[in-house]
């Protein structure tokens, strides 16, 4: 992006919704004003014609000299000498009519149009061009291109002739080159074609169209191009110009703006130069180089892009770049007055006309230089040191956050929006045809220099299978009054496609400050358990069982999950509330079908979690610990207790074998997808080779037998299609395996935290190394990243000696199996069991040199 910006001088906006195209604007002294003041003419596809005169800065009502409805779509407007009476006239192209008007000034305050002549078109028009065809003097003729490839030539009020272009499919840009007296266009084969006017006028047709020509029209179809040039892409615009140095008056260039290149071609069809574009262009124009002494000298090229940028090229060199606040469809450079020379006029697809200029605003109050004052460099250096010391003291060596920010606070309910009374219930006690909807209130307050901020964009990202009803929300204005915050309602909808790998939704707010600086903030929202699961009758048998212990007497399980139980079916809810035996057991079923059960021991504060799916335990374990901590904090009220601070312990061995089985499943799914992609690549190479051999056989004058090549080609094609379907299915299985692995990593992280008494700071570091976010690339995936992370830990923070720390970590590369990952992860857990950590606690005693070195490396790793 350029650091410079096009400065707006004047702009006008139509009062209604209309649509404009690239040919809907022209600039000329259309009313033949003796002062030569140019006017801006625009025409919309809704048929409204407007003529503007830029008098002073900023738009005024008197700047609109003419606004007239023509009742037909305006495809193109052009200004030229279209009458033998002299002066400038306005030509307007409609889909089935070409009209030429004479524009007159009525007292200088408004304009009036008088129709000189019109031509009805037999075919639907696409675009037009004009010029002194055939070398005529003092007048311009018109050429209209239709959608079926017909070029109709009009000599003022008279129709001259019509010709059909050969090999025509769709219309392309049309341009007239005066130096070579030829019409240039681009066909559907991405070829640039040039047709001499004399050749077109003298061409004859061997066959006629099915319909009879109009009276007095001589229609000829068969013509021959003077030269052709292969572009290889569709042309967006074609314009005559002089971009090459040293051109004579009888020579000219043709500028072709394509989707990815700019071609500059001589009038004889030779490429002068070509430039590859790194952006998507929208429109272009040529204009004389400022300060040129010779009229008709070298010109510059101005290109407007879809990234709202203006680029100035001198030859094939980019001379200047500036950004804009609009997306133009047409751009021109014109002199709009004696004090407004070289102004850039742009038009967007809504009719917004902007007159701007490049460079910077002039300094209205220049500062004069005082002569005779000597500079004291020592005083300047002393002042600089004093200011630098003040800056360091105020910032404290830390990053200073900007003062403009949003205060974001979320209020999350624990129950669904609508009440679940009455209605029908299924065998699990769930309401039928019930949309599980939960609305979160997000409170927003602006804190900064201004009193409010406008146009705040909120992006909501919800974890699967939950979705946001409105993922993108625009808040028109947010006040800076903390007592009256803006409230945004965010609705989450529950799904049943998969197990949740996370229960946290993220809301990102982006806005612009009063000074035009962008800001972005985010807030994490922990969603309630009811969005992911519901209570079901107790499930007895399970394949995976884990037991955690708390240093408190266990409460009633119905008390902890009262909000979840109250939203279950009437039968399940009533049995759990009334049955004393059910007070120590609770089973939940995820909406994707998996279940998980909590069994509470009567004495000892032990909780057993069991499920048939290893990955289904993590969310219920996380919810259990969170609710226990909140329950005891509320019950104890912050008072000290003999048991000490609430904690959870996992005293069993870590279920690494079950976890490694899931890792192997994910790695095998990745390997299977990679293998099938390799097979698909081989089949594609084989298919291309067969195609080449068949083409050689078909082009040979004495073709050899096919030898079953056609059968082999059909079988290869069928194999490619089958492999494509198989890859789609394998990618779905890989997605399922990645989600299962993510849930399993969440569970193993929690167990590591409770098994080794890991502090929150240490757990945050471990979570970054053993990430639950499973991201698979084309070559390396989660296994390679985690293996590299574990190796880095073993070589830095958890290194036993300086010799281990000196070993370099190998670069990231695809793994053949998961043996190294299992080995390195087991070593990390083994050293954690021995008490090694990567965060130095303040209360720790001074350690030996080796241990201090390890802790320092771990601290830098965390940063």
């Amino acid at each position: 992006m350029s650091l410079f910006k096009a400065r707006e001088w004047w702009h006008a906006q139509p009062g209604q919704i209309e649509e404009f195209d690239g040919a809907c604007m022209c600039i000329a002294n259309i009313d033949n004003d003796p002062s030569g003041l140019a006017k801006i003419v625009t025409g919309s596809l809704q048929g409204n014609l407007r003529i503007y005169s830029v008098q002073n800065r900023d738009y005024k009502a008197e700047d609109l000299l003419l606004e007239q409805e023509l009742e037909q779509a305006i495809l193109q407007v052009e200004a030229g000498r279209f009458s033998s009476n002299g002066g400038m006239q306005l030509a307007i192209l409609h889909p089935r009519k070409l009209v030429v008007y004479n524009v007159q000034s009525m007292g200088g305050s408004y304009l009036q149009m008088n129709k000189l002549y019109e031509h009805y078109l037999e075919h639907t028009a696409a675009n037009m061009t004009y010029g002194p065809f055939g070398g005529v003097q003092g007048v311009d003729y018109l050429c209209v291109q239709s959608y079926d490839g017909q070029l109709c030539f009009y000599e003022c009020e008279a129709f001259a002739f019509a010709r059909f272009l050969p090999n025509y499919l769709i219309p392309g840009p049309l341009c007239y080159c005066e130096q070579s007296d030829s019409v240039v266009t681009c066909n559907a084969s991405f070829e640039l074609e040039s047709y001499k006017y004399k050749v077109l006028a003298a061409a004859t047709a061997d066959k006629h169209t099915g319909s009879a020509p109009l009276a007095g029209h001589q229609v000829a179809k068969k013509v021959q191009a003077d030269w052709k040039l292969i572009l290889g892409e569709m042309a967006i615009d074609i314009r005559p110009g002089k971009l090459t140095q040293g051109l004579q008056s009888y020579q000219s260039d043709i500028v072709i703006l394509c989707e990815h290149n700019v071609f500059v071609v001589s009038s004889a069809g030779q490429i002068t130069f070509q430039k590859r574009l790194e952006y998507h262009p929208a429109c272009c124009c040529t204009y004389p180089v400022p300060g040129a002494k010779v009229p008709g000298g070298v010109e510059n090229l101005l290109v407007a892009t879809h990234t709202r940028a203006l680029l100035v090229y001198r030859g094939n060199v980019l001379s200047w770049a500036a950004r804009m606040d609009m997306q133009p469809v047409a751009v021109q450079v014109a002199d709009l007055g004696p004090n407004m020379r070289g102004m850039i006029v742009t038009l967007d697809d809504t009719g917004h006309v902007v007159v701007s200029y490049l460079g910077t605003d002039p300094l209205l109050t220049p500062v004069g230089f005082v002569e005779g004052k000597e500079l004291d460099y020592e005083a300047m250096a002393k002042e600089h040191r004093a200011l630098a010391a003040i800056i360091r003291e105020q910032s404290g060596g830390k990053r200073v956050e900007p003062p403009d920010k949003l205060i974001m606070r979320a209020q999350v309910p624990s129950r669904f929006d609508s009440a679940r009374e009455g209605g029908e219930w299924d065998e699990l006690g769930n309401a039928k045809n019930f949309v599980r909807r939960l609305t979160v209130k997000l409170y927003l307050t602006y804190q900064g220099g201004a009193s409010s901020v406008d146009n705040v964009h909120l992006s909501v990202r919800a974890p699967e299978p939950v979705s946001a009803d409105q993922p993108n929300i625009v808040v028109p204005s947010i006040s800076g009054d903390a007592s009256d915050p803006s409230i945004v309602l965010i609705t989450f909808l529950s799904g049943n496609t998969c197990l949740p790998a996370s229960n946290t939704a993220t809301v990102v707010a982006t806005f612009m400050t009063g000074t035009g600086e962008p800001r972005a903030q985010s807030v994490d929202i922990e969603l309630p358990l009811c969005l992911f699961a519901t209570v079901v009758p107790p499930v007895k048998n399970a394949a995976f069982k884990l037991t955690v212990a708390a240093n408190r007497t266990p409460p009633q399980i119905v008390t902890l999950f009262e909000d979840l139980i109250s939203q279950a079916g009437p039968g399940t809810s009533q049995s759990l509330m009334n049955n004393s035996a059910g007070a120590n057991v609770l089973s939940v079923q995820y909406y994707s079908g998996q279940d998980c059960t909590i069994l509470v021991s009567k004495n000892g504060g032990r909780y057993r979690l069991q499920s048939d799916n290893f990955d289904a335990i993590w969310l219920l374990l996380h919810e259990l610990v969170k609710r226990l901590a909140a329950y005891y904090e509320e019950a104890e009220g912050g008072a000290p207790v003999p048991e000490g601070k609430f904690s959870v312990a996992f005293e069993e061995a870590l279920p690494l074998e079950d976890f490694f089985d899931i890792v192997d499943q994910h790695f095998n799914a990745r390997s299977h997808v990679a293998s099938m992609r390799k097979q698909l690549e081989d089949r594609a190479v084989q298919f291309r080779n067969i195609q080449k051999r068949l083409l050689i056989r078909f082009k040979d004058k004495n073709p050899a037998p096919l030898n079953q090549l056609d059968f082999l080609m059909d079988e290869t094609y069928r194999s490619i299609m089958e492999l494509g379907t198989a890859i789609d299915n394998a990618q779905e299985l890989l997605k399922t395996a990645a989600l299962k692995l993510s849930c399993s990593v969440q569970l193993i992280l929690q167990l590591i935290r409770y098994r080794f008494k890991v502090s929150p700071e240490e757990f945050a570091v471990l979570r970054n190394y053993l990430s639950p976010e499973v991201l698979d690339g084309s070559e390396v995936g989660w296994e390679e990243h985690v293996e590299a992370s574990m190796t880095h830990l073993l070589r830095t923070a958890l290194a036993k000696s300086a010799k281990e720390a000196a070993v370099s970590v190998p670069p990231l590369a695809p793994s053949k199996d998961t043996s190294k990952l299992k080995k390195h992860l087991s070593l990390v857990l083994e050293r954690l069991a021995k008490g090694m950590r990567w965060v130095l606690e303040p209360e720790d005693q001074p350690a030996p040199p080796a241990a201090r070195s390890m802790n320092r490396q771990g601290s830098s790793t965390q940063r």
Side-chain angles (χ1 to χ4, degrees):
M1 178 182 292
S2 174
L3 296 176
F4 304 99
K5 182 179 179 180
R7 303 289 180 172
E8 182 179 301
W9 177 268
W10 179 93
H11 76 277
Q13 178 73 37
Q16 54 186 344
I17 301 176
E18 299 179 49
E19 188 175 355
F20 293 76
D21 201 0
C24 294
M25 182 182 73
C26 72
I27 303 174
N29 182 17
I30 197 63
D31 60 343
N32 301 298
D33 189 355
S35 64
L37 185 64
K39 314 303 188 295
I40 303 174
V41 184
T42 64
S44 68
L45 298 181
Q46 282 69 28
N48 295 320
L49 181 74
R50 296 178 179 87
I51 300 179
Y52 302 95
S53 176
V54 182
Q55 302 290 342
N56 297 303
R57 190 161 194 166
D58 297 331
Y59 173 79
K60 297 179 178 58
E62 54 267 22
D63 291 346
L64 181 60
L65 300 179
L66 175 68
E67 184 174 14
Q68 185 171 341
E69 184 176 355
L70 301 182
E71 299 180 354
Q72 295 188 41
I74 299 176
L75 303 181
Q76 189 171 347
V77 291
E78 295 291 351
R81 301 166 298 173
F82 303 130
S83 174
S84 58
N85 297 329
M88 193 74 66
Q89 290 81 34
L90 178 64
I92 300 177
L93 180 64
H94 300 288
R96 286 283 183 164
K97 185 168 61 173
L98 173 64
V99 188
V100 175
Y101 294 92
N102 184 32
V103 183
Q104 294 180 350
S105 175
M106 308 301 293
S109 58
Y110 67 96
L111 301 178
Q112 182 179 354
M113 291 199 313
N114 298 318
K115 184 188 299 184
L116 294 181
Y117 57 87
E118 62 182 5
H119 295 285
Y120 288 93
L121 306 177
E122 181 183 4
H123 304 273
T124 302
N127 50 28
M128 68 175 177
T129 187
Y130 69 95
F133 300 155
V136 66
Q137 299 293 329
V139 68
D140 293 326
Y141 294 158
L142 290 163
C143 173
V144 178
Q145 179 180 211
S146 64
Y147 273 94
D148 57 354
Q150 186 186 50
L151 295 181
C152 295
F153 292 85
Y154 298 93
E155 298 178 355
C156 296
E157 297 86 350
F159 171 79
F161 58 89
R163 299 291 182 263
F164 280 92
L165 298 179
N167 302 323
Y168 189 87
L169 182 61
I170 56 175
L174 192 65
C175 166
Y176 173 72
C177 182
E178 182 178 357
Q179 282 72 13
S180 60
D181 192 25
S182 57
V183 177
V184 182
T185 185
C186 180
N187 60 21
S189 300
F190 302 154
E191 294 178 338
L192 190 68
E193 297 179 332
S194 175
Y195 297 92
K196 289 282 189 181
Y197 176 77
K198 294 182 180 180
V199 175
L200 291 172
T204 58
D206 295 335
K207 60 179 180 179
H208 301 279
T209 59
S211 59
L214 295 177
H217 289 206
Q218 298 178 359
V219 179
K221 292 179 61 177
K222 190 173 182 180
V223 296
Q224 186 174 1
D226 183 36
W227 52 262
K228 292 185 179 182
L229 178 65
I230 298 177
L231 299 177
E233 54 183 327
M234 193 61 191
I236 299 175
D237 197 1
I238 303 175
R239 292 182 177 270
K242 291 190 176 183
L243 272 69
T244 306
Q245 297 282 347
L247 290 180
Q248 302 297 326
S249 59
Y250 57 87
Q251 295 177 323
S252 175
D253 288 328
I254 301 174
V255 182
I256 305 98
L257 180 66
C258 299
E259 297 174 343
H260 303 286
N261 292 276
V262 170
F263 295 90
V264 177
V265 182
S266 66
S267 56
Q270 302 294 327
I271 295 181
T272 304
F273 64 84
Q274 170 188 355
K275 185 171 184 61
R276 179 75 175 177
L277 304 179
E278 299 179 357
Y279 51 84
H280 295 288
C283 52
C284 72
C285 73
T286 58
Y287 67 95
V289 174
K293 298 181 180 180
V294 181
V298 180
E299 296 179 339
N300 288 345
L301 176 65
L302 179 64
V303 180
T305 72
H306 284 288
T307 57
R308 299 185 178 184
L310 287 175
L311 305 177
V312 180
Y313 289 93
R314 178 165 295 182
N316 60 351
V317 179
L318 179 63
S319 300
W320 193 265
R323 61 184 179 90
M324 302 183 63
D325 294 331
M326 62 179 294
Q327 172 58 62
V329 297
V331 59
Q332 290 192 32
V333 178
D335 296 336
L336 301 179
N339 298 324
M340 293 184 292
R341 298 189 179 276
M343 304 298 284
I344 301 174
V345 184
T346 52
L347 171 73
D348 67 1
D349 57 355
T350 63
H352 187 195
V353 182
V354 175
V355 177
S356 56
Y357 60 94
L358 301 180
T360 57
D361 288 330
L363 188 62
L364 300 180
T365 57
V367 179
F369 178 73
V370 180
E371 297 183 358
K373 182 179 179 180
E374 297 182 359
L375 300 179
D376 189 352
Y377 292 102
E378 294 183 359
M380 293 168 59
K382 183 178 180 180
E383 183 181 3
H384 176 267
R385 289 193 296 269
L387 292 176
I390 294 174
I391 294 173
R392 286 194 298 268
E393 181 181 355
Q394 294 295 329
S395 62
K398 298 181 180 179
R399 179 182 176 183
V400 179
E401 293 294 334
D404 305 89
K405 62 180 180 180
L406 285 178
I407 306 299
M408 308 173 68
R409 179 174 59 88
Q411 182 180 352
V412 185
S414 59
R415 290 177 171 83
F416 290 118
D417 292 347
S418 58
R420 307 183 59 175
E421 298 179 359
E424 298 180 0
W425 304 85
D426 58 14
E427 62 276 4
L428 296 178
N430 298 322
K432 295 181 178 180
N433 302 324
F434 174 73
V435 178
R436 296 180 289 268
R437 184 188 302 268
L438 186 137
T439 301
V440 175
K441 292 184 178 180
L442 185 64
Y443 296 87
L444 301 173
T445 305
Y446 177 65
Q447 181 179 343
S451 59
S452 63
V453 63
D454 300 330
N455 296 328
V456 178
H457 294 259
L458 300 179
S459 300
V460 184
R461 186 183 67 178
E464 288 189 281
V466 177
S467 61
D469 190 17
Q470 290 183 333
N472 298 303
I473 303 173
V474 179
V475 184
S477 178
I478 296 178
S479 173
D481 187 3
S483 61
D484 185 21
S486 300
I487 301 176
V488 179
L489 301 180
I490 303 176
T491 302
F492 294 96
L493 305 176
S494 179
N496 57 1
T497 56
C498 60
L499 276 173
S502 174
N503 64 338
T504 303
T506 304
V507 180
V508 179
T510 57
F511 60 95
M512 301 289 290
T513 63
T515 57
E517 298 179 359
R519 292 284 186 269
Q521 285 183 241
S522 64
V523 62
D524 293 334
I525 302 175
E526 188 170 355
L527 301 178
L529 184 60
C530 63
L531 273 174
F532 306 100
T534 185
V535 177
V536 295
V539 180
K540 297 181 180 180
N541 298 325
F544 301 96
K545 299 178 182 180
L546 300 172
T547 302
V548 294
N551 59 347
R552 296 287 193 280
T553 303
Q556 295 292 327
I557 196 70
V558 295
T559 305
L560 287 178
F561 294 90
E562 181 181 359
D563 58 328
L564 191 65
I565 295 174
S566 63
Q567 299 182 84
T572 304
S573 176
Q574 192 69 19
S575 63
L576 288 175
M577 290 294 185
N578 298 333
N579 188 5
S580 59
N584 290 329
V585 61
L586 176 73
S587 294
V588 300
Q589 185 179 56
Y590 296 97
Y591 297 129
S592 56
Q594 297 86 345
D595 58 73
C596 187
T597 303
I598 301 178
L599 296 173
V600 185
S601 63
K602 295 182 179 180
N603 299 314
R606 299 174 66 85
Y607 304 86
R608 171 178 289 181
L609 292 93
Q610 58 185 25
S611 175
D612 286 332
N613 302 91
F614 182 78
D615 49 326
I617 302 177
W618 84 269
L619 183 57
L620 194 57
L621 175 59
H622 170 77
E623 196 73 20
L624 173 65
V625 175
K626 184 184 72 172
R627 291 174 183 248
L628 284 174
Y631 173 80
Y632 289 120
E633 182 180 359
E634 181 181 359
E636 297 169 359
V641 294
E643 293 86 354
K645 187 178 179 181
F646 172 75
S647 62
V648 177
F650 179 69
E651 300 174 352
E652 301 175 359
L654 291 174
L656 291 181
E657 292 185 2
D658 300 328
F659 175 69
F660 288 154
D661 289 341
I662 296 176
V663 172
D664 289 336
Q665 293 176 15
H666 176 258
F667 184 80
N668 293 335
R670 280 184 52 209
S671 302
H672 183 54
V673 171
S675 175
M676 285 195 296
R677 284 179 177 172
K678 184 65 172 62
Q679 294 181 25
L680 181 61
E681 183 180 351
D682 294 340
R683 295 294 185 275
V685 173
Q686 177 178 330
F687 188 76
R688 288 193 295 270
N689 292 335
I690 296 173
Q691 284 181 320
K692 292 178 181 178
R693 293 196 178 188
L694 286 175
L695 288 174
I696 293 175
R697 299 285 178 91
F698 290 147
K699 290 181 179 180
D700 196 358
K701 294 183 179 179
N702 298 317
L706 295 180
N707 295 331
Q708 303 298 325
L709 278 178
D710 53 346
F711 176 75
L712 183 59
M713 185 176 182
D714 292 339
E715 290 297 322
T716 306
Y717 177 77
R718 188 178 298 108
S719 177
I720 290 175
M721 300 305 295
E722 291 175 355
L723 280 173
T725 304
I727 287 178
D728 290 339
N729 298 332
Q731 286 178 340
E732 289 296 325
L733 295 177
L734 176 60
K735 182 179 178 181
T736 303
L739 189 63
K740 187 175 183 180
L741 176 60
S742 181
C743 296
S744 302
V745 174
Q746 294 273 25
L747 176 60
I748 208 71
L749 282 172
Q750 295 181 69
L751 297 181
I752 291 173
R753 181 177 186 177
Y754 305 142
R755 179 73 174 84
F756 303 121
K757 304 295 182 182
V758 178
S759 65
E761 294 80 8
E762 296 168 345
F763 182 73
V765 176
L766 178 62
R767 189 180 179 87
N768 291 330
Y769 281 88
L770 186 59
S771 175
E773 296 184 8
V774 180
L775 302 176
D776 296 323
S778 58
E779 295 184 358
V780 296
W782 181 87
E783 287 79 6
E784 288 81 2
H785 287 286
V786 174
E787 179 188 341
S789 300
M790 296 298 106
T791 305
H792 180 73
L793 275 180
L794 294 173
R795 296 293 184 270
T796 55
L798 300 181
K800 288 184 176 180
S801 61
K803 183 178 180 181
E804 283 190 1
V807 178
S808 60
V809 179
L812 200 63
S815 301
K816 297 181 179 180
D817 51 35
T818 59
S819 58
K820 289 186 178 180
L821 169 63
K822 298 175 184 178
K823 176 184 177 182
H824 293 162
L825 181 57
S826 301
L827 285 175
V828 169
L829 297 179
E830 179 183 347
R831 296 184 183 182
L832 287 178
K834 293 179 180 180
M836 297 184 68
R837 296 292 185 270
W838 44 78
V839 177
L840 180 62
E841 299 294 343
E843 63 271 10
D844 287 348
Q845 296 294 329
R852 288 201 299 269
S853 175
M854 288 187 290
N855 287 328
R856 284 197 299 270
Q857 292 170 355
S859 178
S860 63
T861 303
Q862 183 187 12
R863 289 194 298 268

